Amino acid sequence: MKKSVLSLMLILTLVISAVGIIPASADTSLSSEKQLEIIMDNVSLWNCNDSYSVYSYAITDLDGNGRLEVFAAITEGTGIYTYGKLFEVTAQGSLKEITLLGRDGDSLPEVIVSSAEVYSDPSNGRRYYIFTDSLRNGIAESYESRYGFSLYMGRVLLEHICGKKTTQNSSGSTVNEYYGADNASISEQQFNSAVGNYYRGYQRSTASFGWFQFRDGDFSEIVHKSWNTFSSGVGGTVTQGSSTGGITITLPAVSSGSSAASGNQYVNGNTVTVYENPQAAANAGKPLDDIPTGSNGGIYITKNPTAESLTVGGKNWFIAHASGATSMKWQLIDTNNRVYSTDEAVNVNPGLRIDTNTKDTLEISNVPASLNGWSARAVFSNGDVSCATVPAAIYVGDFVTLYGSVINAYKTAYQNGRTSSLEDIWNLGISEYVGYSSSVGYGMKDLDKDGIPELIIAGMGANDQSDKVVFDVYTLQNNVPVNLCNSRVRDSFRLREDSSLYERGSGGAAIAYYSISKLRNGSLVQLEAVRSDLDENNNTVWYFSSNGGSESKISENAAQAKIKAYEATVYLPFLTKIA
């Protein structure tokens, strides 16, 4: 599906109201509690999930008319597409849909955020929620546009405010172009202040969204929590998932550097508590209080960096976003909560390399063991105040040594500048794919967020990169490498952006197999699968199953749609060459 650039439109009318919609003045004939009951009683109407799409939901009152809405949305694909539906409680006590853009049209901005700026028109109270729309067109071109999203008298409008186009030229340099609401060229400074200028004279506030999914816990509890989050106004936030506890794990010993200090919010000695999300970590620990987090003076954090597990000498990235800021800088924090600039952090961690040339990204490489237990945060400013992200923990262990037997086996297979025979490859216990690759590398990715990164082996030739086949994936159990999957010529694996593994196999022209699995408790658990086979009349038949359940027949179109979704987010992490 090709997504149109929404920034070409000044105002896009999404839906015209049905008869009977009342103005935005509050209609409180039904209490919020009664409306929540109506929403829960009509879950079959607004549940947009299907066998391969998991939506997020939020209870809102976007137009402030006193009648609650269910906002359903999903963001998927490498192009970052967002689709949604909106349902409102009527004055008569039913629930009806206000249709948003669907899958056959343009996508929405990224609305699944914990908070957003809101500008209210003082003349009529109409609210404009500021959302950002990101679009990728391959590696070398991306777009970022800002919109005012409003629901008023049953009509949803999307107003384009400003945009940015980022391209990478042949030399690898990044070039940014900025444009305003009329698509005329503007400066970076004008882009950063465009939202405030566009709604000059309007009342500015913050909306908090309690997005949830059906798997997050008790249904009644999460629906009430979502509404309480939105109705709490400025400062109210909620994290996805009902769990606020962490998983305690023990990292492999590091060869140098002092152990983490007792009392640090993430690390105690060599035992690490890995939290489900940044907010849970902040709630359980002792976050820095020198700079406000979340929101401050018109700055709103829209993406916190996430914790990462790295091997000594490894490389990784941290990404952060905020609205309402004109500048940002990255800082590192040691195990005693001392704050360092990136230059200072390099000086006290010999060998560490840091790159902040990409605007929203901190890249760290050649990571030393001394960085274990540190954390990274972004600080955003608007000239008057600053706001910080929740620090993201950095876990460092000598994982290369622990996975050494696997890495050395692949190194052996490429001795003397050529690959071993197929028999030797089998004897080494490694993937047959080495016979089809000119070179091979390894990367680290914590697939189950337990603080221990999994080892990813993949080819590094041009064809390997485009196909993105993962040769082998290993995890550690009692510091011993354990194989999770091994690609063969007719049964291969690929890594997806959500840390799941996509398996694709073939048993002949009409017999094929496709599945998605995730690492849980040390082993791969299949989430769903699609396969084809021949019936008694030699006709191709397609089947689908989920969570290990029984198979059911599906159409070929439905099967191909699932396979396309499986392949949409396949990628390879940063690889270090083995041989």
Side-chain angles (χ1 to χ4, degrees):
M1 180 187 300
K2 181 174 177 62
K3 175 183 175 187
S4 301
V5 180
L6 294 177
S7 57
L8 297 179
M9 308 176 187
L10 298 179
I11 301 177
L12 176 62
T13 303
L14 303 182
V15 176
I16 299 178
S17 62
V19 177
I21 297 295
I22 63 174
S25 58
D27 173 7
T28 56
S29 58
L30 293 173
S31 67
S32 59
E33 184 61 35
K34 179 61 178 176
Q35 293 184 65
L36 291 174
E37 292 178 9
I38 294 170
I39 288 171
M40 289 186 286
D41 289 341
N42 289 274
V43 63
S44 60
L45 176 63
W46 53 268
N47 177 9
C48 302
N49 290 358
D50 56 32
S51 57
Y52 63 96
S53 296
V54 179
Y55 276 72
S56 295
Y57 304 87
I59 310 301
T60 59
D61 183 9
L62 297 174
D63 54 0
N65 69 354
R67 290 189 276 115
L68 275 53
E69 302 112 16
V70 182
F71 204 165
I74 184 171
T75 298
E76 57 187 7
T78 55
I80 316 177
Y81 303 105
T82 298
Y83 308 96
K85 291 186 178 182
L86 190 65
F87 303 82
E88 185 180 48
V89 176
T90 68
Q92 292 74 35
S94 60
L95 195 66
K96 73 171 185 178
E97 181 179 357
I98 301 175
T99 307
L100 297 179
L101 288 172
R103 289 180 176 272
D104 293 329
D106 293 311
S107 78
L108 295 167
E110 282 73 76
V111 297
I112 308 175
V113 294
S114 60
S115 62
E117 288 181 276
V118 184
Y119 289 83
S120 300
D121 188 337
S123 65
N124 57 19
R126 184 171 186 162
R127 302 173 179 178
Y128 297 86
Y129 298 79
I130 308 304
F131 296 118
T132 298
D133 184 35
S134 300
L135 168 67
R136 294 183 189 142
N137 185 16
I139 298 176
E141 187 174 288
S142 63
Y143 296 84
E144 176 185 315
S145 298
R146 295 176 184 171
Y147 292 87
F149 178 103
S150 69
L151 169 64
Y152 186 72
M153 297 183 67
R155 175 177 294 183
V156 178
L157 297 180
L158 197 62
E159 296 188 356
H160 172 247
I161 302 167
C162 60
K164 177 177 71 173
K165 177 182 178 182
T166 301
T167 54
Q168 194 173 67
N169 58 31
S170 58
S171 64
S173 300
T174 298
V175 178
N176 292 323
E177 300 173 61
Y178 303 92
Y179 48 89
D182 57 356
N183 294 311
S185 177
I186 60 175
S187 66
E188 181 178 6
Q189 183 177 2
Q190 290 172 316
F191 171 79
N192 291 328
S193 59
V195 174
N197 290 333
Y198 191 90
Y199 293 109
R200 187 181 299 276
Y202 286 31
Q203 297 172 344
R204 186 173 66 178
S205 58
T206 307
S208 299
F209 297 89
W211 293 97
F212 65 89
Q213 295 176 348
F214 286 116
R215 60 192 177 194
D216 284 349
D218 179 78
F219 181 58
S220 175
E221 178 183 348
I222 58 178
V223 168
H224 279 80
K225 191 172 184 179
S226 180
W227 168 240
N228 290 336
T229 298
F230 184 87
S231 62
S232 64
V234 177
T237 59
V238 67
T239 56
Q240 292 189 14
S242 57
S243 171
T244 58
I247 305 169
T248 301
I249 57 96
T250 300
L251 285 174
V254 295
S255 57
S256 63
S258 59
S259 62
S262 175
N264 179 265
Q265 70 190 82
Y266 294 109
V267 179
N268 185 7
N270 209 36
T271 299
V272 179
T273 299
V274 181
Y275 293 94
E276 184 179 15
N277 50 58
Q279 191 61 50
N283 292 340
K286 301 174 182 177
L288 295 175
D289 57 7
D290 57 333
I291 300 174
T293 59
S295 63
N296 184 36
I299 303 175
Y300 308 97
I301 303 298
T302 56
K303 178 179 177 11
N304 286 289
T306 56
E308 295 289 349
S309 298
L310 300 126
T311 187
V312 173
K315 177 179 181 178
N316 219 314
W317 296 264
F318 298 86
I319 300 174
H321 296 151
S323 62
T326 57
S327 64
M328 73 171 293
K329 62 181 178 182
W330 285 94
Q331 297 176 335
L332 275 75
I333 304 160
D334 71 9
T335 56
N336 290 310
N337 271 358
R338 289 188 294 261
V339 179
Y340 297 78
S341 68
T342 53
D343 289 341
E344 292 168 340
V346 169
N347 290 333
V348 299
N349 291 279
L352 175 65
R353 292 195 289 267
I354 293 179
D355 185 351
T356 58
N357 289 330
T358 303
K359 185 176 180 180
D360 60 355
T361 304
L362 170 72
E363 177 186 304
I364 60 175
S365 58
N366 198 36
V367 173
S370 59
L371 207 65
N372 183 38
W374 284 51
S375 55
R377 71 174 181 181
V379 177
F380 295 88
S381 302
N382 62 11
D384 297 320
V385 298
S386 296
C387 184
T389 63
V390 176
I394 301 171
Y395 312 123
V396 184
D398 192 2
F399 298 109
V400 170
T401 296
L402 292 173
Y403 283 118
S405 59
V406 179
I407 294 172
N408 288 333
Y410 272 94
K411 187 176 294 185
T412 299
Y414 281 83
Q415 285 182 345
N416 303 319
R418 57 187 178 84
T419 57
S420 302
S421 66
L422 186 58
E423 183 177 356
D424 289 338
I425 289 171
W426 288 339
N427 291 334
L428 288 168
I430 59 178
S431 172
E432 300 171 3
Y433 264 85
V434 300
Y436 303 89
S437 177
S438 58
S439 60
V440 68
Y442 73 86
M444 302 282 182
K445 181 69 176 176
D446 190 356
L447 300 183
D448 56 355
K449 297 301 179 186
D450 66 349
I452 303 296
E454 277 61 53
L455 175 70
I456 313 294
I457 303 288
M460 297 185 69
N463 292 334
D464 302 310
Q465 292 289 336
S466 62
D467 198 30
K468 297 182 174 61
V469 173
V470 171
F471 293 5
D472 271 297
V473 178
Y474 282 80
T475 190
L476 291 172
Q477 294 180 5
N478 297 321
N479 289 345
V480 176
V482 175
N483 185 262
L484 293 174
C485 66
N486 174 268
S487 286
R488 300 180 296 279
V489 174
R490 303 193 71 169
D491 184 16
S492 58
F493 291 82
R494 290 155 181 81
L495 181 63
R496 300 173 75 227
E497 291 179 357
D498 65 354
S499 296
S500 64
L501 286 165
Y502 165 46
E503 182 180 4
R504 190 169 74 187
S506 173
I511 301 173
Y513 178 80
Y514 310 84
S515 72
I516 298 295
S517 300
K518 274 204 169 184
L519 177 59
R520 293 176 180 169
N521 299 320
S523 61
L524 290 179
V525 177
Q526 187 182 101
L527 302 182
E528 56 183 67
V530 175
R531 74 176 182 91
S532 64
D533 207 339
L534 295 176
D535 63 12
E536 61 275 10
N537 298 317
N538 285 329
N539 296 317
T540 302
V541 183
W542 289 89
Y543 301 90
F544 173 76
S545 63
S546 62
N547 299 317
S550 58
E551 292 183 324
S552 59
K553 288 185 178 181
I554 59 174
S555 68
E556 182 178 359
N557 287 341
Q560 293 300 331
K562 292 180 185 296
I563 295 168
K564 183 178 180 180
Y566 294 164
E567 297 179 342
T569 58
V570 167
Y571 87 113
L572 281 178
F574 174 81
L575 297 175
T576 298
K577 189 174 181 179
I578 297 173

